[in-house]
Amino acid sequence: MEGGSRRRVVAVGAGLAGLGAAQWLRGHGSLRLLEAEGRAGGRVCTRPFASGLAEIGAHWIHGPSPGNPVFRLATRYGLLGPEAAREENQRVEAGGHPPLPSVTYGSSGRVLSPQAVSEAHDLFDTLLASARTFQGAEESLAHSVGQYLRAEIAQRVSASGADEDAQRLQLAILAACLKLECCISGTHSMDLVALEPFGEYVSLPGLDCTFPGGYSSLPDHMLSALPDGTVLLNKAVRTIRWRGSFHEEGDEARDFPVRVECEDGDAFLADHIIVTVPLGFLKERHQDFFQPPLPERKAEAIRRLGFGTNNKIFLEFERPFWEPQQQLLEVVWEDESPLEEPSADLEANWFKKLIGFVVLQPPEQHGHVLCGFIAGKESEYMETLSDAEVLGTMTHVLRMLTGTATFSTLVTPTPPRETCTQISGYHPKSMPAGNQRLPAPRSVLRSRWHSAPYTRGSYSYVAIGSSGDDIDVLAQPLPEDPEDPRVIAFGPGDAAAMGEQEPPGMGTDRQGWEQAAPGLEEHREVAFPTPAPFRGHRCSAHQPIPLGSSP
C-alpha cells in the first residue's frame, strides 16, 4: 500500500458516511475505502423500473432546509428540483408527516369516510406528540411507546361516546397508524421502542423532496470527487485487528496498530480505521469482526439498540386505477384493533402489515407506479417469497380493497386468472375475491434489506433498555485510554454503525471534517462516525446536527 510515511487510514463501508470521510480527509494521509458490495452508496440505491427510477433504499430528504446537511450537499451539487429550492417550501413545518392527497381503502372494499380517517389521524398524532413528553422523566406510565399509545387509545375511544360501529372503525384506522409508525421507526412493533427517549428527537422544517435523477446521484457525485483508486469495491472485510503491531514485508521500522483482513485474502495496514457499517451487520458479526473484541460497554450498546426492517414493493400498472390527484393510497383492515394482539401467522397474514402505497410522481417520468411500504417480521417474511408470489398477493389485496369502488380509468380487461393466483401463504377463503376488473400489475420490484448480508435490515431505533447514551458509546473511538487526546468526532453519515437511526441519506458536515482531518496523527486507532438521527427528520439530543432522509 502506497503512502510512504504519511498517516494511513482505512475506512470500511462506502455509504455516505464512508464517502464523506474519504471526501474530507483528502490530502491528510493515504486513504483506502473498502466496500463489500459492487457499488457505492450503501442504503442509497436507485434502480431502473418501469419507465423511470425506483428508490430501493432512501427515498426522500425529510426536512429539506438549510439546517439539513444532506440538503445542503445535494443543493451544492445541483441535484434537486426547483421546488426544493423555494424558500417558502423550506420553511414549512410539516412535522415529519407532510400531507399528501390521499384515499383510504378498507378491507371491505369501500373507500372510508375522509372525516373518520382525519379524526383518527388527528387523535393518533396528538397521542404520538404526548409520547414525546417523557424525555428525562424518572418514571413513565409505560416502558414502550406502543404500550403507552394502546392505553391512551383505549381510554380515548371508550370515552368518545361514539356508537359501536364508529368505535370499531376508529380502532381499525388507529391500528393502521401504528403500522405506519413501525415503518417510520424501523421496528416490528412500537412495543419494542422505548418511551422515555422517544422525545429526544425533533422534526426539521421543509417539505419532503426527492432527487429527480435518483438518490444515487448523491453518492455518485461524492465518489467522482475522489482520486482514482480510493474506493475498492467488492472488497468485503472479514476481520479488523487493532491494538496490534504489524509491519510490511521488508520494513520492520514502521509499526502499524491496525491490520484489515478481507474475505478475498487481501490485507491493509493502517494507522487508523473508520468503521461505517450498519448496526444490523454489527449485531450479527461484531464478536468476530473485531480482534480483540470490542469493549463490553460498546458490545452491550450494540446488543441493546434495536435494528429493524422496512421494505418497499413497487408495482407497475399499464394505466392507473387511482384518480390523478391521489398521491397516497392508504390501507385499513377493518377487523383489526390496536387493543388486540395481531396474528403471528406470517404465512397467512404477512400482507396485512402493508400500510399502503405512495404514487410515484410525476407519472410522465416514472410511469404508473405504486410504492408500498411494509415493516417488521412480515417484511422479512416477504423477502422469502418469489416475485410471482408477491405480485399475486398484491393483486389480490388491491382487488379486495377496490371491490366496491368505481373507477373511470379502468378499461383494461382482467388478465388470465393463472397470472395472479400462484400465491404462497394466501388463503382465498380468507379474502374476498374483490374487484376482478382490476388488472394485475405489469411488473414488481421490491427491496430485501434483511437478506442483504452486509446490512441485515433497514435502520435502528432506541429499543426498550437502551437510550441515547448507547448511541454516544457507539460513537466513541478506540482505544478508550483516557490518557489519549480526545478525538474530534467525525461527521454523521448514512450507515454509521454506531447508532444510525435511519437508512442512508445522511450528509457530511464540512466543519466537522475540516476540524478532524488536520489532527489525524492524534486520533486513536478505531474511529466511529457520530450517530445519525432517528427517522431522518428527527435529531437526537445527543446529536447537534439535524439531518434527514428515509426509505
Side-chain angles (χ1 to χ4, degrees), residues 398-547:
L398 288 171
R399 286 179 174 175
M400 180 206 66
L401 294 173
T402 61
T404 61
T406 59
F407 307 96
S408 60
T409 53
L410 274 180
V411 295
T412 305
T414 301
R417 184 170 178 80
E418 61 269 20
T419 64
C420 56
T421 55
Q422 305 298 317
I423 305 172
S424 172
Y426 166 68
H427 303 281
K429 64 180 180 181
S430 68
M431 189 187 298
N435 179 13
Q436 291 299 307
R437 293 181 59 227
L438 183 70
R442 296 176 60 181
S443 59
V444 64
L445 176 69
R446 70 273 183 44
S447 58
R448 298 181 179 90
W449 290 112
H450 181 70
S451 303
Y454 302 109
T455 306
R456 304 300 289 150
S458 301
Y459 44 95
S460 60
Y461 56 92
V462 180
I464 292 177
S466 65
S467 70
D469 293 337
D470 289 320
I471 297 174
D472 289 344
V473 167
L474 287 175
Q476 292 303 308
L478 296 173
E480 298 178 311
D481 186 347
E483 297 301 319
D484 283 352
R486 179 177 173 82
V487 66
I488 298 175
F490 286 92
D494 76 306
M498 313 318 126
E500 94 291 17
Q501 303 292 346
E502 176 76 14
M506 310 311 168
T508 55
D509 177 65
R510 182 181 189 118
Q511 183 178 7
W513 290 115
E514 288 179 339
Q515 288 174 342
L520 265 179
E521 66 278 1
E522 297 180 352
H523 290 181
R524 282 167 273 181
E525 295 167 23
V526 185
F528 301 98
T530 54
F534 185 75
R535 303 178 93 191
H537 55 267
R538 288 182 174 179
C539 171
S540 169
H542 300 263
Q543 163 63 30
I545 305 171
L547 306 175

Side-chain angles (χ1 to χ4, degrees), residues 60 140 153 181 188 207 223 231 251 264 331 340 353 359 372 381 410 444 481 509 528 549:
W60 295 279
S140 58
I153 287 171
E181 197 61 30
H188 170 64
L207 290 177
L223 182 64
V231 179
D251 184 3
D264 63 4
V331 176
E340 301 173 0
K353 195 66 169 287
V359 180
Y381 178 81
L410 274 180
V444 64
D481 186 347
D509 177 65
F528 301 98
S549 85

Side-chain angles (χ1 to χ4, degrees), residues 47 56 309-312 379 382-387 390 445-453 455-458:
R47 290 178 55 182
I56 301 300
T309 303
N310 184 24
N311 275 314
K312 300 178 182 179
S379 178
M382 180 274 296
E383 296 186 26
T384 69
L385 303 177
S386 69
D387 283 351
V390 173
L445 176 69
R446 70 273 183 44
S447 58
R448 298 181 179 90
W449 290 112
H450 181 70
S451 303
T455 306
R456 304 300 289 150
S458 301

Side-chain angles (χ1 to χ4, degrees), residues 222-511:
M222 298 174 73
L223 182 64
S224 66
L226 298 175
D228 291 343
T230 300
V231 179
L232 303 182
L233 302 178
N234 297 307
K235 190 64 68 174
V237 172
R238 184 180 67 243
T239 306
I240 296 171
R241 302 190 184 277
W242 60 289
R243 306 205 79 167
S245 179
F246 305 102
H247 303 87
E248 288 186 326
E249 186 176 354
D251 184 3
E252 296 297 320
R254 185 168 182 185
D255 183 83
F256 294 93
V258 178
R259 175 183 168 92
V260 182
E261 298 174 355
C262 298
E263 293 181 359
D264 63 4
D266 284 351
F268 299 83
L269 303 184
D271 298 290
H272 316 283
I273 184 166
I274 303 170
V275 181
T276 71
V277 300
L279 179 60
F281 175 84
L282 280 186
K283 279 181 169 291
E284 191 171 85
R285 294 279 307 275
H286 76 88
Q287 289 180 310
D288 57 4
F289 195 63
F290 295 94
Q291 294 297 328
L294 295 174
E296 183 57 26
R297 74 188 195 109
K298 196 176 285 284
E300 275 296 320
I302 291 172
R303 287 190 284 267
R304 281 193 295 261
L305 285 167
F307 195 79
T309 303
N310 184 24
N311 275 314
K312 300 178 182 179
I313 303 174
F314 295 90
L315 302 173
E316 179 197 10
F317 291 84
E318 183 174 349
R319 61 192 66 203
F321 63 84
W322 54 92
E323 299 299 330
Q325 73 276 11
Q326 293 169 350
Q327 298 183 36
L328 175 64
L329 314 182
E330 296 180 297
V331 176
V332 172
W333 295 89
E334 295 170 72
D335 60 346
E336 292 188 340
S337 166
L339 308 183
E340 301 173 0
E341 287 295 322
S343 172
D345 188 347
L346 298 181
E347 183 180 7
N349 296 290
W350 69 267
F351 48 84
K352 291 186 177 182
K353 195 66 169 287
L354 189 78
I355 65 165
F357 301 87
V358 168
V359 180
L360 295 195
Q361 299 287 344
E364 296 79 15
Q365 176 183 347
H366 295 283
H368 305 300
V369 176
L370 299 180
C371 175
F373 292 82
I374 183 170
K377 297 184 185 301
E378 293 85 353
S379 178
E380 295 170 7
Y381 178 81
M382 180 274 296
E383 296 186 26
T384 69
L385 303 177
S386 69
D387 283 351
E389 289 167 333
V390 173
L391 181 64
T393 301
M394 292 298 98
T395 299
H396 278 291
V397 168
L398 288 171
R399 286 179 174 175
M400 180 206 66
L401 294 173
T402 61
T404 61
T406 59
F407 307 96
S408 60
T409 53
L410 274 180
V411 295
T412 305
T414 301
R417 184 170 178 80
E418 61 269 20
T419 64
C420 56
T421 55
Q422 305 298 317
I423 305 172
S424 172
Y426 166 68
H427 303 281
K429 64 180 180 181
S430 68
M431 189 187 298
N435 179 13
Q436 291 299 307
R437 293 181 59 227
L438 183 70
R442 296 176 60 181
S443 59
V444 64
L445 176 69
R446 70 273 183 44
S447 58
R448 298 181 179 90
W449 290 112
H450 181 70
S451 303
Y454 302 109
T455 306
R456 304 300 289 150
S458 301
Y459 44 95
S460 60
Y461 56 92
V462 180
I464 292 177
S466 65
S467 70
D469 293 337
D470 289 320
I471 297 174
D472 289 344
V473 167
L474 287 175
Q476 292 303 308
L478 296 173
E480 298 178 311
D481 186 347
E483 297 301 319
D484 283 352
R486 179 177 173 82
V487 66
I488 298 175
F490 286 92
D494 76 306
M498 313 318 126
E500 94 291 17
Q501 303 292 346
E502 176 76 14
M506 310 311 168
T508 55
D509 177 65
R510 182 181 189 118
Q511 183 178 7

Side-chain angles (χ1 to χ4, degrees), residues 16-73:
L16 298 194
L19 291 170
Q23 198 172 53
W24 294 116
L25 294 178
R26 285 179 301 171
H28 296 286
S30 176
L31 175 68
R32 285 292 180 271
L33 179 52
L34 310 181
E35 168 55 47
E37 302 285 355
R39 61 173 183 84
R43 281 161 285 167
V44 170
C45 179
T46 306
R47 290 178 55 182
F49 182 67
S51 61
L53 300 171
E55 302 291 2
I56 301 300
H59 197 122
W60 295 279
I61 301 178
H62 290 308
S65 50
N68 186 327
V70 74
F71 173 74
R72 296 199 305 269
L73 192 62

